[in-house]
Structure formats: C-alpha cells, structure tokens
C-alpha cells in the first residue's frame, strides 16, 4: 500500500469500505473503553486514601493523581508518535499492556507500604489511561467531517459502563483482596490489571483494519520528520480556534482533576464510608461519560465553540456547589461532582473535535498527542497543588480556584463564539 508524502483525508462519504470499517472500529473501541475506564477508576477511588495512610496526612495525597497524570502525559505524545508510525492498534495495545504491569506494581507497593513502588505503579497505569484517551481520536479517523464530534463522543460515552461501575466494585475487590491476605484497599489494583488486560486483548484481536492506516494517516518513508513538541505547540497556538480547543482541553481537565482528586479525602475527613465515596465518584463519572452523546450532538449541531462555552458554565456551577459543601454533605457533593463531570464532558468532546478540525492535516496526529500531553501536565500540577490547598485553606477554596478558571474559559468561548471565524464557531 502506497502513501502520499503527507497524511490525507479520503472522501469518506464516498467510500463504503470506510463506512463498514468505521462501524467495526466504533464497536471495538466501545468494548475496550469499558474495561480500560473501569481499570482506571477502580484504582483512583482508593489511591489518595492509600497515600494518606502511607504518609500519615493529606498534604501529599495529590501525589497519586500526579503519578497517574505523569504517566498519561508521557504516553500522550510518545504513543501518539508510535501510532503515527505503526497505527492505532499497536499503540493502544502497548499502552494497555504497560498498564497491566502498572496495576501489579501498584498492588505490590501498596502491600509493602512503599510509597516509591506504589507511585511507579500508578505512573504505569497512567500510560494505559493516556492510551485510552487517544482512542477517542481513533474513533474520528474514518468519521465524516460533520460527524467527528459524534464519533468522539461515542467512545467517551462507551467509558460510562466502566467509569460508573468501576468505583462501585471497590468494596468487592477490597473484600476479595483481604480474603487473599492483602491489606485494606489494596485488592482493587488486582482488578485494575485484569481489566486493562481485557481491554488490550479486545483491541489486539479485533481492531482490524487499523483505522489510521485505512485513512492514510500513517507516516511513509518519504514523509518529512515529525515536528517536535514545541513546534507542534506553536502550530496549535497560531490559530485562534485550535488555541481555544487547547484551552478547553487543559482547563476542563485541570479543574475536574483538581477538585475530584481531593473529594475522597474531603468526604473521608467528614466521616463518609468508602462505599459512599465510591458512589459519589460514580455519580461524577456518570456526568463525565454518560451524556457524551449529547455533548457530541450539541457540538456538531450548534458548533464546538458554543459547546465549549456551555461546558465551562456547567463547571462554574459545579465548583460553586462544591465550594458550599464545607461539611461534604451528600446534598451538595452528589450534584456538584456530577456537574463537574458533565462540564468536563462538553469541554473534552467539543475541544477534541475542534482541535482535530482546526489544525493542518499533516500536524493532526501530533497535535492530538501534544494537546493531551499539555492537559496531563497541567492537570497533574493541579492535582499536586490541590493537596496543599486542601490542607492549608480547605475544599471550598480549592473549588473557588476551579470556578475562576472555568469562568475564564467561559468568557473565552463567548468571545470566540461572536467572531465569524469558521463554521465551527
């Protein structure tokens, strides 16, 4: 199979083979997303609690989220470049495979009460999370240009089952682990490895043909050398729409992670059981993934810019509710965390689609990886800082900081929405 010197976008609507391959791709990615997201949320629900027990306080509890997001950041650009050369299928299998090992390392570290080993394990599981994030772009490789947001949202929605179900299995996994001789809250990491393994097998056996290869997006021998991260970032920020897309991905992710990372600790400090905490996280992940098809439809129907602005105002409301939840009352934590996830969903789906359509074709794959890299780095920083803010000022101040950044994103979306920059606006 020969390729042109630059990635190209075939006329998808006129290619029946592409339409059939797209349907198969979405089915496979749907199945793998269920298990990949369940693996991620299972471990996340207990990570900060384990860090708190290991270090004897909540100040450094954000290290758990930092480790995961560092792994996500490392994988975002690296696996994206690997996909550029080898395809989506090898990249996803590699990322999920590394995460299988990571779950085992995290379990080992938690059982030994070793913070270093535990964080290394979390970092490796973050690689799987980063690969899963890139799967949303795989869904758009063969999608019609007017339905890219819908395709992306379908995979985000696919994560609902795993994202909502994962935290509810924490208690069961913990009981199984303790019956096998593991310490409290360690058992869920065995399930993390298992679920990542299932996701890897699904992709390895079924993602054929590779959507990126069929779309003509793989590097050929004559393709110019890929741009560096800094060069790709300059390409993104050079265009107002791609710049807004990057801001949406970064702020939505950072605000969501910063508040969510401290939610288990805030609720634990006010006497909530691990089961109640798990259900709040499930409500949050339902907001993140359950309404993704609505976010995709809205982005295609009303424009990505308007959807970004809507997601930002939802984040403003969410952080206002959590700021009021000083005693971690269920009446505020459940709706606050749900809306936090919903605002993230609109910002992530619309931002991803806008980025995909606003950068040059030859930079598309690299831009996707770099955008996820920046989002992961910033959200990792937010997660680390959130522990200090929680300890020094409280959960309400942490939420207010998130509210301020969400309001800035809303203002930017409104400004861009009034400019006739493109149909996307």
């Amino acid at each position: 199979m020969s390729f042109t010197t630059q990635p190209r976008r075939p006329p998808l609507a006129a290619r029946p083979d592409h339409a059939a391959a797209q349907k198969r791709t979405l089915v496979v990615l749907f199945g793998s997303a269920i298990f990949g997201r369940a693996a991620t949320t299972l471990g996340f629900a207990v990570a900060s609690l384990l860090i708190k027990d290991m270090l004897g306080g909540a100040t450094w509890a954000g290290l758990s989220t930092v480790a995961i997001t560092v792994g996500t950041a490392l994988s975002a650009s690296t696996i994206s470049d690997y996909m550029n050369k080898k395809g989506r299928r090898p990249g996803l299998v590699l990322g999920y495979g590394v995460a299988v090992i990571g779950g085992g390392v995290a379990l080992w570290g938690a059982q030994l009460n070793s913070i270093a080993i535990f964080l290394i394990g979390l970092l490796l599981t973050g690689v799987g999370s980063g690969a899963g994030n890139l799967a949303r772009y795989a869904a758009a490789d063969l999608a019609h240009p007017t339905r890219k947001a819908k395709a992306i949202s379908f995979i985000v929605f696919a994560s609902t089952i795993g994202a909502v179900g994962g935290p509810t299995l924490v208690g069961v996994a913990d009981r199984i682990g303790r019956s096998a001789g593991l310490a409290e809250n360690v058992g869920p990491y065995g399930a993390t490895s298992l679920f990542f393994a299932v996701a890897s097998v699904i992709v390895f056996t079924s993602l054929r043909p590779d959507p990126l290869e069929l779309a003509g997006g793989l590097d050929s021998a004559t393709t110019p050398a890929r741009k560096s991260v800094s060069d790709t970032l300059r390409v993104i920020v050079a265009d107002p729409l791609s710049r807004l897309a990057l801001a949406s991905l970064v702020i939505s992710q950072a605000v969501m992670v910063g508040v969510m990372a401290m939610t288990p600790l805030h609720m634990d400090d006010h006497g909530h059981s691990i089961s109640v905490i798990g259900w709040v996280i499930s409500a949050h992940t339902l907001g993140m993934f359950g309404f993704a098809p609505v976010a995709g439809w809205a982005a295609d129907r009303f424009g990505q810019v308007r959807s970004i602005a809507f997601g930002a105002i939802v984040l403003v409301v969410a952080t206002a509710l959590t700021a009021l939840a000083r005693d971690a009352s269920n009446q505020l934590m459940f709706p606050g965390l749900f809306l936090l996830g919903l605002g993230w969903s609109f910002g992530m789906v619309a931002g991803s689609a806008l980025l995909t359509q606003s950068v040059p074709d030859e930079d598309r794959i690299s831009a996707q990886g770099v955008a996820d890299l920046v989002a992961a780095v910033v959200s990792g920083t937010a997660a680390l800082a959130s522990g200090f803010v929680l300890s020094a000022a409280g959960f309400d101040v942490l939420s207010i900081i998130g509210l301020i950044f969400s309001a800035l994103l809303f203002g930017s979306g409104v400004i861009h929405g009034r400019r006739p920059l493109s149909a996307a606006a």
Side-chain angles (χ1 to χ4, degrees):
M1 185 175 182
S2 62
F3 297 95
T4 58
T5 57
Q6 291 185 348
R8 53 190 173 85
R9 293 181 185 173
L12 300 177
R15 299 290 295 274
D17 57 327
H18 283 201
Q22 173 69 350
K23 291 180 180 179
R24 179 178 177 84
T25 295
L26 292 178
V27 170
V28 173
L29 294 177
F30 189 99
S32 64
I34 292 174
F35 290 95
R37 189 58 60 179
T40 300
T41 55
L42 254 171
F44 180 83
V46 297
S48 60
L49 298 176
L50 285 167
I51 295 286
K52 179 182 177 182
D53 291 340
M54 289 180 190
L55 299 181
T59 300
W60 292 95
L63 281 175
S64 58
T65 307
V66 171
I68 294 171
T69 51
V70 166
T72 301
L74 292 175
S75 65
S77 182
T78 302
I79 293 183
S80 179
D81 286 342
Y82 185 72
M83 287 177 172
N84 234 354
K85 298 179 179 66
K86 302 295 184 180
R88 298 292 191 186
R89 175 173 164 269
L92 291 174
V93 170
L94 174 63
Y96 288 144
V98 170
V100 172
I101 299 172
V105 173
L107 185 151
W108 181 38
Q111 183 66 15
L112 293 178
N113 204 37
S114 169
I115 186 67
I117 296 176
F118 182 61
L119 291 176
I120 290 172
L122 293 183
L123 186 149
L124 295 177
T125 63
V127 173
S129 178
N133 289 342
L134 291 172
R136 74 188 190 277
Y137 293 118
D141 287 335
L142 296 173
H144 190 279
T146 62
R147 294 192 291 272
K148 288 189 180 296
K150 181 179 179 180
I152 290 171
S153 70
F154 183 75
I155 302 308
V156 176
F157 172 74
S159 303
T160 304
I161 299 173
V164 175
T168 66
L169 296 175
V170 167
V172 175
D174 183 46
R175 287 193 293 272
I176 293 174
R178 281 187 286 174
S179 68
L182 297 177
E184 184 179 6
N185 293 332
V186 175
Y189 286 98
T192 291
S193 284
L194 174 63
F195 288 161
F196 270 129
V198 174
S200 180
V201 170
I202 290 174
V203 172
F204 179 76
T205 59
S206 304
L207 193 59
R208 303 170 188 271
D210 190 290
L212 185 58
E213 181 178 0
L214 187 59
L218 293 183
D219 280 343
S220 69
T222 58
T223 299
R226 304 301 301 175
K227 290 184 173 68
S228 66
V229 171
S230 59
D231 288 340
T232 302
L233 189 58
R234 279 192 285 270
V235 170
I236 295 174
V237 299
D239 180 82
L241 288 179
S242 58
R243 190 163 61 239
L244 175 64
L246 179 62
S248 180
L249 295 173
V250 170
I251 293 178
S252 298
Q253 181 75 7
V255 171
M256 184 273 291
V257 168
V259 175
M260 183 182 67
M262 294 300 106
T263 292
L265 294 176
H266 181 55
M267 296 187 70
D268 183 63
D269 287 342
H270 288 83
H272 290 283
S273 68
I274 188 174
S275 296
V276 173
I277 294 172
W279 280 107
V280 168
I281 297 299
S282 290
H284 170 68
T285 50
L286 174 63
M288 288 178 69
F289 306 115
F291 294 86
V294 177
W297 170 82
D300 286 334
R301 174 65 178 82
F302 301 107
Q304 292 97 349
V305 172
R306 292 182 179 88
S307 290
I308 287 172
F310 177 78
I313 200 64
V314 173
L315 288 175
V316 168
V317 175
T319 47
L321 289 175
T322 56
L324 295 172
R326 293 186 177 183
D327 60 350
S329 67
N330 290 337
Q331 291 83 355
L332 291 174
M333 294 302 294
F334 271 96
L337 268 293
F338 170 78
L339 291 175
L340 187 70
L342 184 65
W344 173 91
S345 182
F346 272 81
M348 184 62 60
V349 169
S352 299
L354 183 59
L355 179 72
T356 297
Q357 294 183 202
S358 59
V359 296
D361 283 5
E362 62 269 22
D363 296 308
R364 179 166 50 96
I365 309 300
S366 295
Q368 291 166 352
V370 169
D372 278 8
L373 168 64
V374 175
V377 169
V378 174
S379 61
T381 302
L384 179 60
S386 65
F388 289 94
V389 174
L390 178 68
S391 297
F395 193 71
D396 53 341
V397 174
L398 175 64
S399 298
I400 291 171
I401 293 173
L403 187 154
I404 292 171
F405 280 98
S406 300
L408 291 174
L409 177 60
F410 172 71
S412 181
V414 170
I415 291 172
H416 281 80
R418 291 174 177 172
R419 295 174 180 172
L421 293 174
S422 75

